[in-house]
Amino acid sequence: QTIFDFTLEIDGEKLKGRAMLDTGNTLCESFSGYPAVICTYDFLKDIFPSDSETFFKGDVTDLHKINDGKWQKRIRLVSYSTVAEKGVLPSFRPDKLIVSDSVETDKVFVSVISRKKYINESFDMLLNPNLF
């Protein structure tokens, strides 16, 4: 199976969407080794603190602008490398990610991309195969 429903829980908020398993996604947070999934800023924006917009839209030098202590503890930068480029993605650790009936974990990071409004018309998240 490559298509899943998911629920992302953070600070009492729940975001529900559809996810696709991306076998090429090997992103992981380097300190914990936890896998990273990918979502767009537009899908996630309602759960972010208001002072975090520029950080999660990709200006990682704006991390210092986030004043919410709980959010500061959630945030990490996840390194990525593609054929075309290398960089870091603003990322956070949710309270829980539930993927269909397959996975329920807090050992995951959500990496945020902002160049696209959506991953595609059908999916809100790209899953990491290391979740399974």
Side-chain angles (χ1 to χ4, degrees), residues 39-42 56-58 80 82 84-89 112-119:
C39 282
T40 63
Y41 175 82
D42 284 346
F56 281 115
K57 280 190 168 179
Y80 73 92
T82 68
E85 63 185 350
K86 292 180 180 184
V88 292
L89 292 171
V112 182
I113 58 172
S114 61
R115 280 181 263 164
K116 297 179 172 185
K117 200 151 184 66
Y118 47 80
I119 291 172

Side-chain angles (χ1 to χ4, degrees), residues 17-131:
R18 303 270 293 153
M20 182 178 78
L21 179 61
D22 179 2
T23 57
N25 176 0
T26 57
L27 290 177
C28 70
E29 193 276 326
S30 57
F31 294 110
S32 65
Y34 295 162
V37 298
I38 300 169
C39 282
T40 63
Y41 175 82
D42 284 346
F43 178 76
L44 299 164
K45 65 184 176 189
D46 292 338
I47 64 165
F48 292 142
S50 58
D51 57 6
S52 70
E53 180 179 0
T54 56
F55 173 77
F56 281 115
K57 280 190 168 179
D59 188 351
V60 296
T61 61
D62 279 354
L63 177 59
H64 69 280
K65 292 182 178 178
I66 302 171
N67 293 312
D68 183 318
K70 282 173 72 175
W71 269 95
Q72 288 173 347
K73 291 177 182 155
R74 293 181 182 279
I75 292 173
R76 296 288 185 279
L77 296 175
V78 171
S79 299
Y80 73 92
S81 178
T82 68
V83 174
E85 63 185 350
K86 292 180 180 184
V88 292
L89 292 171
S91 304
F92 67 94
R93 187 172 173 192
D95 294 329
K96 192 184 300 182
L97 173 64
I98 302 165
V99 180
S100 297
D101 296 325
S102 306
V103 174
E104 184 172 325
T105 186
D106 65 346
K107 293 174 173 51
V108 64
F109 280 84
V110 179
S111 293
V112 182
I113 58 172
S114 61
R115 280 181 263 164
K116 297 179 172 185
K117 200 151 184 66
Y118 47 80
I119 291 172
N120 75 23
E121 294 87 354
S122 304
F123 308 110
D124 306 299
M125 178 182 285
L126 292 177
L127 295 171
N128 187 317
N130 293 323
L131 283 169

